[in-house]
């Protein structure tokens, strides 16, 4: 029996479902549905928070692909502590992007991987599962994808902090 640990990552889920449904006659339709879902969810537009949002609205983060279960598991539901981590991420990420670009350009692989590890650590504490996946690739060929995803997450988190001060 395959086991999925939390947070469940889409590629792992697809792999387990593929194994389970391997002998199922409707497997092809399930796989095509999964592939269609993946195409549709590649990069959804950022959903904005309404001005009537209640304080600490986590549904905004969830709607934008951020795993808010970390607030319970890592912060014992202390939203202010979570906000502090988000603010740390927002304060540090621009410098880390500069470092990534420099190390990538100069082919400094060890420094590049070290910076990826720093970003990965920040992402784990915020619930940025898409970024964690990219960081775990440890491949400089993913630099453009990584930077794009970092900027996307920064926009989401900046919007959330702005509306939940």
């Amino acid at each position: 029996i395959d086991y999925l640990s939390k947070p469940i990552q889409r590629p792992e889920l697809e792999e387990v479902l593929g194994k389970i449904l391997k002998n199922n006659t409707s497997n092809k339709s399930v796989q095509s549905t999964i592939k269609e879902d993946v195409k549709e969810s590649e990069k959804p537009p950022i959903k904005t928070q309404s001005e009537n949002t209640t304080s600490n609205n986590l549904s905004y983060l969830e709607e934008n692909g951020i795993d808010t279960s970390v607030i319970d598991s890592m912060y014992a539901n202390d939203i202010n502590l979570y906000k502090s981590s988000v603010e740390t991420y927002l304060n540090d990420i621009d410098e880390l992007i500069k470092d990534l670009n420099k190390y990538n350009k100069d082919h400094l692989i060890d420094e590049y991987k070290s910076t990826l590890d720093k970003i990965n650590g920040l992402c784990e504490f915020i619930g940025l599962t898409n970024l964690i996946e990219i960081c775990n690739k440890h491949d400089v060929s993913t630099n453009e994808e990584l930077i794009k995803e970092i900027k996307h997450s920064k926009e989401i988190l900046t919007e959330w902090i702005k509306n939940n001060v």
Side-chain angles (χ1 to χ4, degrees):
I1 296 178
D2 287 308
Y3 176 78
L4 293 173
S5 59
K6 290 183 182 178
I8 295 173
Q9 303 295 320
R10 184 177 203 109
E12 295 170 357
L13 177 61
E14 290 172 8
E15 182 181 335
V16 170
L17 286 174
K19 287 178 185 177
I20 292 171
L21 300 172
K22 191 175 189 176
N23 295 325
N24 188 332
T25 58
S26 65
N27 188 25
K28 289 181 183 176
S29 64
V30 171
Q31 286 179 344
S32 65
T33 302
I34 290 172
K35 287 179 184 176
E36 287 172 19
D37 287 347
V38 169
K39 287 177 186 174
E40 290 175 16
S41 67
E42 282 180 4
K43 192 56 66 194
I46 296 171
K47 297 178 182 177
T48 58
Q49 273 183 287
S50 70
E51 294 183 18
N52 299 328
T53 328
T54 59
S55 180
N56 305 324
N57 186 346
L58 299 178
S59 62
Y60 169 75
L61 295 176
E62 292 164 354
E63 289 169 1
N64 283 288
I66 296 175
D67 178 13
T68 59
S69 70
V70 298
I71 298 169
D72 179 38
S73 62
M74 294 187 183
Y75 299 96
N77 284 320
D78 185 341
I79 195 71
N80 291 322
L81 193 55
Y82 177 74
K83 281 183 184 178
S84 176
S85 290
V86 169
E87 289 169 345
T88 298
Y89 173 84
L90 293 172
N91 290 333
D92 294 350
I93 200 63
D94 287 332
E95 189 64 34
L96 293 170
I97 289 173
K98 287 178 191 174
D99 291 345
L100 280 177
N101 285 328
K102 179 187 184 317
Y103 300 146
N104 187 42
K105 179 183 173 192
D106 296 341
H107 304 287
L108 301 170
I109 303 303
D110 290 337
E111 290 84 351
Y112 187 88
K113 287 183 178 182
S114 175
T115 304
L116 281 177
D117 288 341
K118 289 177 189 175
I119 293 171
N120 194 14
L122 287 171
C123 293
E124 287 179 10
F125 285 101
I126 297 173
L128 300 172
T129 53
N130 287 340
L131 268 174
I132 293 168
E133 268 184 47
I134 297 169
C135 288
N136 286 336
K137 289 181 184 178
H138 279 236
D139 183 355
V140 293
S141 68
T142 63
N143 190 60
E144 189 175 314
E145 176 187 6
L146 177 65
I147 301 300
K148 185 177 180 180
E149 186 64 32
I150 288 171
K151 288 179 180 179
H152 181 73
S153 68
K154 183 180 174 187
E155 290 174 28
I156 294 166
L157 294 168
T158 300
E159 174 79 10
W160 183 73
I161 286 290
K162 180 176 75 174
N163 289 301
N164 291 287
V165 177

